Amino acid sequence: MKSLKVLLFFLLVGLQVSCQTKNDDNLTTYNPIPKTEMGTNLVQKSNLIGQIFKDSTYTVTDGVKVNEMNYLSKKGVAMKTFVYTIDLHNPKLSVVASMPHNKTEFAMQPMTGQATALLNQTFDVIGGVNGDFYDMTTGVPRGIFVFNGMVLKNSYTTRNEGYLAVDKQNRVTIEEITDFKDKASQTQQAVSGGVWLVKNGQTVKQTDKEIHPRTCVGITSDNKLLLMVVDGRNYTWSNGMNYEDLGLFMQAIGSQKALNLDGGGSSTFFINPNTTVNKFLIRNLPSDNGGQERAVGNGIIITKSK
């Protein structure tokens, strides 16, 4: 038994050393070893990843996958990211705007509550993320908002640069917010975002360097929607990102366009692992009060027709 323990010890040491190299200054560096396609893209197409602790992908339902990564950034801080990849070619899948209690009155409710209120006999609720910035007293979104074909808000601020749109033919795009007036009549769902992160496959230059938990949305050239959350404000768990790194992340995983959504304590990533039971699980760790889910103004929810 003792010899077995010794053997296991040296195997563990060997595995650790195999992931390390020495540079010219005799300092230890780590070689990130991805396990998934998304992890590989992040390692090869960005300079964000220092060492990977977890890189996993699982299927929630046909056409909807989730990637979860725990890693040490090149800046030397812990990161945890969560990404939905939604195949928009799947005719059963849709993306909808959600509101508190599924009513046409602005208010605030946690995303799992908004998802529960959306349950009905025609489609399953697969999961989702939080949406636009909002007034934390009234729940009124900062930008434009369309709910089931109804334009509930058509004004926006200069900080709203784009929006996620679903037209009446169920086509999903990310649009310039200045174009909303011309497209409003053909819009079935719309949730505004803040700054552009990626346009035409290229990252957008950023001036805001603040680091926070973030939520964002992207779309790929092969018509897949990406919904991403990075946790933050928790040094040992995950530190969050600034806009520049968020754009680099979204570009590396294939975004042709990407738009920042509300972040901070609002950032929420939840799944529905069993549509028979409909017990929604929050996969990330919201930054409010040690992980308490925040009541938010609206969200983006993935549905699948029955």
Side-chain angles (χ1 to χ4, degrees), residues 184-195:
S185 63
Q186 295 301 313
T187 302
Q188 184 70 11
Q189 314 281 347
V191 178
S192 296
V195 299

Side-chain angles (χ1 to χ4, degrees), residues 82-115:
F82 308 81
V83 183
Y84 272 114
T85 301
I86 305 154
D87 186 354
L88 298 174
H89 295 102
N90 188 327
K92 288 191 173 184
L93 296 176
S94 297
V95 179
V96 301
S98 68
M99 289 192 69
H101 315 292
N102 200 31
K103 296 182 178 180
T104 57
E105 300 172 0
F106 292 126
M108 293 169 287
Q109 186 181 28
M111 282 306 305
T112 54
Q114 294 187 35

Side-chain angles (χ1 to χ4, degrees), residues 141-212:
R142 194 168 73 183
I144 61 97
F145 188 77
V146 181
F147 181 66
N148 296 335
M150 297 174 285
V151 179
L152 299 185
K153 189 168 182 286
N154 60 10
S155 62
Y156 54 91
T157 73
T158 56
R159 292 182 293 174
N160 291 105
E161 297 182 358
Y163 66 99
L164 173 70
V166 183
D167 70 13
K168 295 186 184 299
Q169 286 73 48
N170 202 36
R171 291 175 296 203
V172 182
T173 57
I174 302 177
E175 303 286 350
E176 294 279 359
I177 205 160
T178 51
D179 295 337
F180 174 71
K181 182 178 179 180
D182 294 333
K183 298 183 178 183
S185 63
Q186 295 301 313
T187 302
Q188 184 70 11
Q189 314 281 347
V191 178
S192 296
V195 299
W196 283 105
L197 303 169
V198 179
K199 280 187 175 183
N200 299 318
Q202 301 299 313
T203 56
V204 177
K205 186 177 180 179
Q206 306 293 337
T207 56
D208 187 336
K209 304 298 184 182
E210 291 188 8
I211 296 172
H212 295 291

